[in-house]
PDB file of all heavy atoms in Angstrom:
ATOM      1  N   PRO X 263      -4.275 -11.580  35.602  1.00 95.00           N
ATOM      2  CA  PRO X 263      -3.402 -10.531  36.162  1.00 95.00           C
ATOM      3  C   PRO X 263      -2.093 -10.355  35.414  1.00 95.00           C
ATOM      4  O   PRO X 263      -1.635  -9.225  35.217  1.00 95.00           O
ATOM      5  CB  PRO X 263      -3.170 -11.022  37.598  1.00 95.00           C
ATOM      6  CG  PRO X 263      -4.370 -11.856  37.918  1.00 95.00           C
ATOM      7  CD  PRO X 263      -4.736 -12.519  36.634  1.00 95.00           C
ATOM      8  N   GLU X 264      -1.478 -11.461  34.982  1.00 95.00           N
ATOM      9  CA  GLU X 264      -0.193 -11.355  34.287  1.00 95.00           C
ATOM     10  C   GLU X 264      -0.355 -10.716  32.908  1.00 95.00           C
ATOM     11  O   GLU X 264       0.565 -10.054  32.404  1.00 95.00           O
ATOM     12  CB  GLU X 264       0.474 -12.727  34.168  1.00 95.00           C
ATOM     13  CG  GLU X 264      -0.286 -13.764  33.358  1.00 95.00           C
ATOM     14  CD  GLU X 264      -1.301 -14.555  34.165  1.00 95.00           C
ATOM     15  OE1 GLU X 264      -1.670 -14.107  35.283  1.00 95.00           O
ATOM     16  OE2 GLU X 264      -1.718 -15.626  33.673  1.00 95.00           O
ATOM     17  N   VAL X 265      -1.521 -10.893  32.287  1.00 94.00           N
ATOM     18  CA  VAL X 265      -1.799 -10.241  31.006  1.00 94.00           C
ATOM     19  C   VAL X 265      -2.148  -8.775  31.230  1.00 94.00           C
ATOM     20  O   VAL X 265      -1.670  -7.878  30.526  1.00 94.00           O
ATOM     21  CB  VAL X 265      -2.948 -10.960  30.265  1.00 94.00           C
ATOM     22  CG1 VAL X 265      -3.282 -10.229  28.966  1.00 94.00           C
ATOM     23  CG2 VAL X 265      -2.565 -12.410  29.969  1.00 94.00           C
ATOM     24  N   LEU X 266      -2.963  -8.521  32.247  1.00 96.00           N
ATOM     25  CA  LEU X 266      -3.398  -7.155  32.542  1.00 96.00           C
ATOM     26  C   LEU X 266      -2.205  -6.259  32.874  1.00 96.00           C
ATOM     27  O   LEU X 266      -2.207  -5.062  32.553  1.00 96.00           O
ATOM     28  CB  LEU X 266      -4.386  -7.174  33.707  1.00 96.00           C
ATOM     29  CG  LEU X 266      -5.108  -5.870  34.039  1.00 96.00           C
ATOM     30  CD1 LEU X 266      -5.906  -5.371  32.843  1.00 96.00           C
ATOM     31  CD2 LEU X 266      -6.025  -6.064  35.244  1.00 96.00           C
ATOM     32  N   ALA X 267      -1.191  -6.825  33.493  1.00 95.00           N
ATOM     33  CA  ALA X 267       0.000  -6.043  33.847  1.00 95.00           C
ATOM     34  C   ALA X 267       0.690  -5.481  32.615  1.00 95.00           C
ATOM     35  O   ALA X 267       1.420  -4.478  32.704  1.00 95.00           O
ATOM     36  CB  ALA X 267       0.974  -6.913  34.638  1.00 95.00           C
ATOM     37  N   ASN X 268       0.463  -6.119  31.459  1.00 96.00           N
ATOM     38  CA  ASN X 268       1.072  -5.661  30.212  1.00 96.00           C
ATOM     39  C   ASN X 268       0.085  -4.937  29.298  1.00 96.00           C
ATOM     40  O   ASN X 268       0.384  -4.720  28.119  1.00 96.00           O
ATOM     41  CB  ASN X 268       1.679  -6.855  29.474  1.00 96.00           C
ATOM     42  CG  ASN X 268       2.854  -7.454  30.220  1.00 96.00           C
ATOM     43  OD1 ASN X 268       3.748  -6.721  30.644  1.00 96.00           O
ATOM     44  ND2 ASN X 268       2.850  -8.767  30.403  1.00 96.00           N
ATOM     45  N   GLU X 269      -1.080  -4.595  29.834  1.00 97.00           N
ATOM     46  CA  GLU X 269      -2.083  -3.854  29.074  1.00 97.00           C
ATOM     47  C   GLU X 269      -2.431  -2.549  29.791  1.00 97.00           C
ATOM     48  O   GLU X 269      -3.481  -2.437  30.431  1.00 97.00           O
ATOM     49  CB  GLU X 269      -3.350  -4.694  28.864  1.00 97.00           C
ATOM     50  CG  GLU X 269      -3.189  -5.777  27.837  1.00 97.00           C
ATOM     51  CD  GLU X 269      -4.521  -6.372  27.377  1.00 97.00           C
ATOM     52  OE1 GLU X 269      -5.579  -5.734  27.580  1.00 97.00           O
ATOM     53  OE2 GLU X 269      -4.500  -7.480  26.823  1.00 97.00           O
ATOM     54  N   PRO X 270      -1.584  -1.556  29.713  1.00 97.00           N
ATOM     55  CA  PRO X 270      -1.854  -0.304  30.422  1.00 97.00           C
ATOM     56  C   PRO X 270      -3.083   0.439  29.927  1.00 97.00           C
ATOM     57  O   PRO X 270      -3.613   1.295  30.648  1.00 97.00           O
ATOM     58  CB  PRO X 270      -0.580   0.520  30.178  1.00 97.00           C
ATOM     59  CG  PRO X 270       0.002  -0.048  28.922  1.00 97.00           C
ATOM     60  CD  PRO X 270      -0.297  -1.520  28.978  1.00 97.00           C
ATOM     61  N   LEU X 271      -3.580   0.113  28.719  1.00 98.00           N
ATOM     62  CA  LEU X 271      -4.750   0.815  28.188  1.00 98.00           C
ATOM     63  C   LEU X 271      -6.046   0.038  28.395  1.00 98.00           C
ATOM     64  O   LEU X 271      -7.111   0.504  27.986  1.00 98.00           O
ATOM     65  CB  LEU X 271      -4.552   1.112  26.701  1.00 98.00           C
ATOM     66  CG  LEU X 271      -3.380   2.040  26.364  1.00 98.00           C
ATOM     67  CD1 LEU X 271      -3.345   2.344  24.879  1.00 98.00           C
ATOM     68  CD2 LEU X 271      -3.455   3.327  27.178  1.00 98.00           C
ATOM     69  N   ALA X 272      -5.972  -1.139  29.012  1.00 98.00           N
ATOM     70  CA  ALA X 272      -7.211  -1.860  29.327  1.00 98.00           C
ATOM     71  C   ALA X 272      -8.049  -1.006  30.265  1.00 98.00           C
ATOM     72  O   ALA X 272      -7.546  -0.457  31.252  1.00 98.00           O
ATOM     73  CB  ALA X 272      -6.895  -3.201  29.978  1.00 98.00           C
ATOM     74  N   GLY X 273      -9.330  -0.864  29.956  1.00 98.00           N
ATOM     75  CA  GLY X 273     -10.219  -0.030  30.750  1.00 98.00           C
ATOM     76  C   GLY X 273     -10.234   1.430  30.349  1.00 98.00           C
ATOM     77  O   GLY X 273     -10.951   2.244  30.944  1.00 98.00           O
ATOM     78  N   ALA X 274      -9.457   1.792  29.316  1.00 98.00           N
ATOM     79  CA  ALA X 274      -9.434   3.177  28.841  1.00 98.00           C
ATOM     80  C   ALA X 274     -10.525   3.422  27.805  1.00 98.00           C
ATOM     81  O   ALA X 274     -11.035   2.491  27.177  1.00 98.00           O
ATOM     82  CB  ALA X 274      -8.069   3.500  28.228  1.00 98.00           C
ATOM     83  N   LEU X 275     -10.895   4.685  27.628  1.00 98.00           N
ATOM     84  CA  LEU X 275     -11.747   5.109  26.520  1.00 98.00           C
ATOM     85  C   LEU X 275     -10.829   5.515  25.378  1.00 98.00           C
ATOM     86  O   LEU X 275     -10.003   6.428  25.525  1.00 98.00           O
ATOM     87  CB  LEU X 275     -12.634   6.279  26.937  1.00 98.00           C
ATOM     88  CG  LEU X 275     -13.523   6.875  25.841  1.00 98.00           C
ATOM     89  CD1 LEU X 275     -14.574   5.874  25.373  1.00 98.00           C
ATOM     90  CD2 LEU X 275     -14.201   8.162  26.336  1.00 98.00           C
TER      91      LEU X 275
END
Side-chain angles (χ1 to χ4, degrees):
E264 62 273 17
V265 177
L266 188 59
N268 293 311
E269 285 195 18
L271 297 184
L275 177 66

